[in-house]
Amino acid sequence: MIAAVVFDLDGVLVDSEPVWEEVRRAYVAETGGSWLAETQRRLMGMSTGEWSCYLSGDLGVGRDPERVAVEVIGRMAERYQERLPLVPGAAGAVRRLAARYPLALASSSPRLLIDRVLQAAGLTDDFAVTVSTEEVAAGKPSPDVYLAAAAGLGIAPERCAAVEDSSNGLRSAAAAGLAVIALPHPTYPPAPDALASADLVITTLDELTPEAVAGLASDRTAR
């Protein structure tokens, strides 16, 4: 029986992947680096420490990772200040589920951006626990951030459901043992093998209801 729900942030509650790509592409170009064909796919799910090292080293940005992280995150904060790109139905979905389940957030975004997004959206109080991959040993697809979120809730991972959009996010939640709800992003769809790990696939957050989450228990038993 599902006893809690753990949300991803980027691509699930806030349509930030296009913003991240724009900001990091521009930053790499301005600093003399080279954006590769597989770069955006690889970046999705990386922790701050991982992607700043990737930009600094693999993409040839001529600045140390710490500076890269501060400058890119600063630009993201400015973009969110201008306009917060909430996914349609995000606030309603969170509040529907919060009325029935304890909620956690397991995000690859840095703590600064997590807190700003939730505050701007008026959703801070709906989450009992929020965890950034900055705060665990490894980013997605490692299970660390989902295991930390479940531990923070005090609920076994097998009794939690995750809501994810990306390949690495889906893999992370599945590896941690959570039931997985996939919300594929139309521009950045997950790989087929990652999507196959999902127990439920939805196309909009309007489909994310307490009844849908409760149905995961019987669906998993039947497999």
Side-chain angles (χ1 to χ4, degrees):
M1 180 178 179
I2 300 300
V5 178
V6 185
F7 281 87
D8 175 39
L9 181 66
D10 296 289
V12 172
L13 298 181
V14 61
D15 191 15
S16 55
E17 295 297 355
V19 184
W20 275 109
E21 182 173 1
E22 288 174 16
V23 166
R24 289 190 287 214
R25 269 183 180 269
Y27 185 83
V28 168
E30 290 168 18
T31 53
S34 299
W35 190 270
L36 307 176
E38 71 274 12
T39 290
Q40 180 61 21
R41 175 184 56 79
R42 291 190 61 183
L43 286 169
M44 293 175 72
M46 284 188 182
S47 68
T48 301
E50 291 166 343
W51 64 251
S52 60
C53 285
Y54 177 67
L55 266 63
S56 177
D58 294 49
L59 301 192
V61 170
R63 297 176 184 176
D64 63 75
E66 292 76 14
R67 180 179 176 185
V68 170
V70 168
E71 291 177 344
V72 171
I73 291 167
R75 294 187 186 193
M76 286 296 298
E78 290 174 2
R79 293 288 295 270
Y80 284 170
Q81 186 70 29
E82 295 168 6
R83 186 182 76 85
L84 184 65
L86 279 180
V87 172
V94 168
R95 290 172 182 143
R96 275 196 305 276
L97 295 189
R100 180 159 172 180
Y101 298 101
L103 303 184
L105 189 81
S107 175
S108 298
S109 274
R111 170 58 57 189
L112 171 68
L113 296 183
I114 290 173
D115 292 345
R116 287 199 180 186
V117 168
L118 294 183
Q119 182 178 20
L123 298 174
T124 301
D125 293 341
D126 292 292
F127 289 92
V129 175
T130 61
V131 185
S132 167
T133 52
E134 288 184 329
E135 300 157 354
V136 296
K140 302 172 184 178
S142 163
D144 298 24
V145 70
Y146 277 103
L147 293 174
L153 291 170
I155 298 173
E158 295 78 12
R159 299 190 64 209
C160 298
V163 188
E164 267 287 357
D165 68 303
S166 71
S167 295
N168 284 340
L170 293 165
R171 292 172 181 136
S172 173
L178 283 72
V180 181
I181 301 170
L183 177 66
H185 194 289
T187 307
Y188 308 100
D193 69 290
L195 190 60
S197 69
D199 298 278
L200 173 66
V201 179
I202 60 176
T203 56
T204 73
L205 286 172
D206 291 338
E207 300 170 57
L208 187 59
T209 63
E211 293 74 23
V213 173
L216 291 172
S218 57
D219 290 345
R220 296 188 101 200
T221 303
R223 292 190 174 192

